[in-house]
Amino acid sequence: MALINENYLKLPGSYLFAEIARRVSTFKAENPSADIIRLGIGDVTQPLAPASIKAMHDAVDEMANQATFRGYGPEQGYDFLIEKIIETNYKSLGVEMDEVFVSDGSKSDVGNIQEVFGVNNTVAITDPVYPVYLDTNVMAGRTGTLQNNGTFEKVVYLPCNAENNFTPTLPTNKVDMIYLCCPNNPTGTTLSKKELKKWVDYAKSNDSIILFDAAYAAYITEADVPRSIYEIEGSRDVAIEFRSFSKTAGFTGTRCAYTVVPKTVMGKDSEGKEHSLNQLWNRRHTTKFNGTPYIVQRGAAAIYTPEGQAQIKATVDYYMTNAKIIREGLITAGLQAFGGVNAPYIWLKTPEGIDSWGFFDKLLKEVHIVGTPGAGFGPSGEGYFRLTAFGNRENTEKAIERIKTKLIL
């Protein structure tokens, strides 16, 4: 009999979204005429930029011609896309062509990157947290078992809440792998350049590696919030950055992203010898991945044209207007709200005496709105609730009007 990886048995399972689906299904069956508005899932609703559509149509035509047909491409991505990525996002930050790896999504990359690290590394995550960071390390065997308080025994949790302005405190003990997401999912909050510099300095002092998820960089509006960790001095020695076209250009279903692994980021073997993580990731990437489709990469490259930049900016502005409507509407209704300024997520404090799931039921039953209970993102998410700005304008405005006029607080 084949033995299983028993680390998978340590996972609590897809309880959060399964329970959300169950409760919504039950409510819908009991209230078939209810107009349910879903502001829970972090998926986009606006179509791809016309520049991307045209580029992909042209690429499809190329695939129909023997002279321009393409089969396997470079696993790391085509130069035409990588050149545009560097020119647009990293021009003055020292990123080189062979430090960028194009993929099918940041979710894949942040989950897979842990494979190049030893299983005895200590992992630190902010709490609440995007579940992929934690779950993939559970699968790898770094975390120990799940405790009664909802934490894994070997993971260092960095609580983020209203009391500390959602800014994680540096660990008191040495950690090896640090996951940071800025702008943050689920809280929608950010780290300033000054705060991020503290993490870079900590990583350099402790031989740690920062795994920096910048999937929502395009939504940043404030000048003091870094778009890339490589804006911080010394970060090219200690940080790997993940970027995505999903929320920037609507590629959630089209699938394209990239990871930047500087050649100066080093890890050590058991004898203390240094090795380039860039080389290790390249080996992993080329072994387990055959590359993002040519057609998709052409569509991604098109967002870097003047037309494409204007089009995706309009879409980002659309979602951020939704975020402003939600944030201001919640505050008007008497709720405490965070995020929604540099990110398409709004993180609200549930009313006193109501936990995350209690507020989920209240919102669903009283005003027919679906959000995401904060407890599903980790222990520090209890007492909070996430709404997303990715719906259409009509439903967003309708939802907030219901909260302001019909929700009993």
Side-chain angles (χ1 to χ4, degrees):
M1 181 181 295
L3 298 178
I4 64 169
N5 177 355
E6 294 187 20
N7 292 307
Y8 277 70
L9 303 180
K10 300 173 184 176
L11 293 166
S14 301
Y15 176 76
L16 171 64
F17 297 105
E19 180 63 12
I20 287 174
R22 187 192 68 78
R23 295 193 189 200
V24 173
S25 178
T26 299
F27 179 79
K28 187 69 175 175
E30 296 172 351
N31 302 271
S33 62
D35 176 21
I36 298 176
I37 299 175
R38 299 173 187 268
L39 299 180
I41 189 169
D43 195 5
V44 295
T45 55
Q46 299 304 295
L48 297 178
S52 291
I53 295 294
K54 182 181 184 306
M56 286 191 282
H57 275 295
D58 291 344
V60 169
D61 290 338
E62 289 183 55
M63 301 298 273
N65 187 318
Q66 185 174 354
T68 53
F69 172 81
R70 286 172 172 81
Y72 289 123
E75 293 96 340
Q76 300 91 337
Y78 284 97
D79 285 354
F80 65 75
L81 176 54
I82 295 175
E83 287 170 356
K84 290 295 185 182
I85 288 170
I86 293 175
E87 180 185 344
T88 306
N89 296 323
Y90 300 105
K91 192 170 185 178
S92 61
L93 300 179
V95 174
E96 301 177 4
M97 290 286 292
D98 56 356
E99 295 178 328
V100 178
F101 298 82
V102 178
S103 74
D104 62 351
S106 283
K107 182 177 183 179
S108 301
D109 288 351
V110 298
N112 293 330
I113 194 70
Q114 54 79 29
E115 290 187 21
V116 304
F117 293 96
V119 295
N120 293 323
N121 284 338
T122 300
V123 177
I125 59 171
T126 54
D127 175 31
V129 70
Y130 181 46
V132 174
Y133 309 153
L134 177 62
D135 288 358
T136 52
N137 280 285
V138 174
M139 294 171 181
R142 291 188 188 89
T143 62
T145 57
L146 185 64
Q147 307 299 289
N148 291 333
N149 63 0
T151 66
F152 282 86
E153 59 179 333
K154 295 182 180 180
V155 175
V156 175
Y157 289 79
L158 309 169
C160 296
N161 49 47
E163 286 67 40
N164 64 11
N165 198 31
F166 299 96
T167 301
T169 302
L170 295 174
T172 55
N173 298 321
K174 181 183 183 304
V175 299
D176 304 301
M177 298 161 60
I178 304 164
Y179 288 83
L180 296 176
C181 180
C182 182
N184 184 267
N185 177 17
T187 68
T189 57
T190 56
L191 295 173
S192 67
K193 292 179 180 178
K194 181 179 178 181
E195 288 296 332
L196 194 52
K197 180 65 165 63
K198 294 179 183 178
W199 284 98
V200 171
D201 291 345
Y202 173 91
K204 290 178 75 71
S205 297
N206 290 275
D207 289 331
S208 309
I209 302 297
I210 297 173
L211 304 169
F212 191 75
D213 188 347
Y216 300 94
Y219 290 83
I220 294 171
T221 62
E222 296 180 319
D224 191 43
V225 179
R227 272 68 174 173
S228 168
I229 195 170
Y230 302 125
E231 296 176 32
I232 309 302
E233 183 182 358
S235 59
R236 280 183 52 82
D237 295 330
V238 296
I240 294 171
E241 180 164 292
F242 307 90
R243 291 275 194 113
S244 173
F245 292 90
S246 286
K247 310 302 167 58
T248 302
F251 275 47
T252 53
T254 310
R255 309 310 301 153
C256 193
Y258 59 92
T259 294
V260 180
V261 188
K263 287 175 284 190
T264 46
V265 179
M266 310 297 285
K268 294 181 180 179
D269 62 24
S270 58
E271 296 179 353
K273 181 181 178 181
E274 289 190 335
H275 299 270
S276 167
L277 294 185
N278 177 283
Q279 292 180 10
L280 297 180
W281 180 246
N282 184 63
R283 186 69 169 86
R284 191 266 173 209
H285 196 71
T286 55
T287 299
K288 294 190 174 185
F289 185 60
N290 262 345
T292 303
Y294 170 76
I295 295 166
V296 172
Q297 291 192 57
R298 279 297 184 191
I303 75 164
Y304 295 116
T305 63
E307 298 82 8
Q309 288 288 283
Q311 290 161 6
I312 65 168
K313 183 181 184 304
T315 301
V316 168
D317 288 346
Y318 178 94
Y319 292 133
M320 288 308 292
T321 298
N322 282 353
K324 182 179 180 181
I325 291 169
I326 296 171
R327 178 187 171 96
E328 293 181 354
L330 294 174
I331 293 172
T332 299
L335 293 164
Q336 193 174 7
F338 311 91
V341 175
N342 295 299
Y345 295 114
I346 297 84
W347 189 244
L348 65 92
K349 189 83 173 67
T350 60
E352 187 174 355
I354 303 177
D355 64 17
S356 294
W357 279 107
F359 191 72
F360 175 91
D361 289 335
K362 183 177 180 66
L363 207 60
L364 178 61
K365 293 174 181 178
E366 293 184 11
V367 291
H368 305 170
I369 295 171
V370 178
T372 308
F377 296 101
S380 292
E382 181 55 82
Y384 293 91
F385 199 83
R386 192 189 78 171
L387 296 175
T388 82
F390 288 122
N392 64 48
R393 183 64 44 76
E394 179 184 0
N395 280 344
T396 299
E397 291 176 340
K398 188 188 300 184
I400 291 306
E401 186 61 25
R402 290 181 190 176
I403 289 174
K404 289 194 293 186
T405 59
K406 297 182 180 180
L407 188 66
I408 302 172
L409 297 174

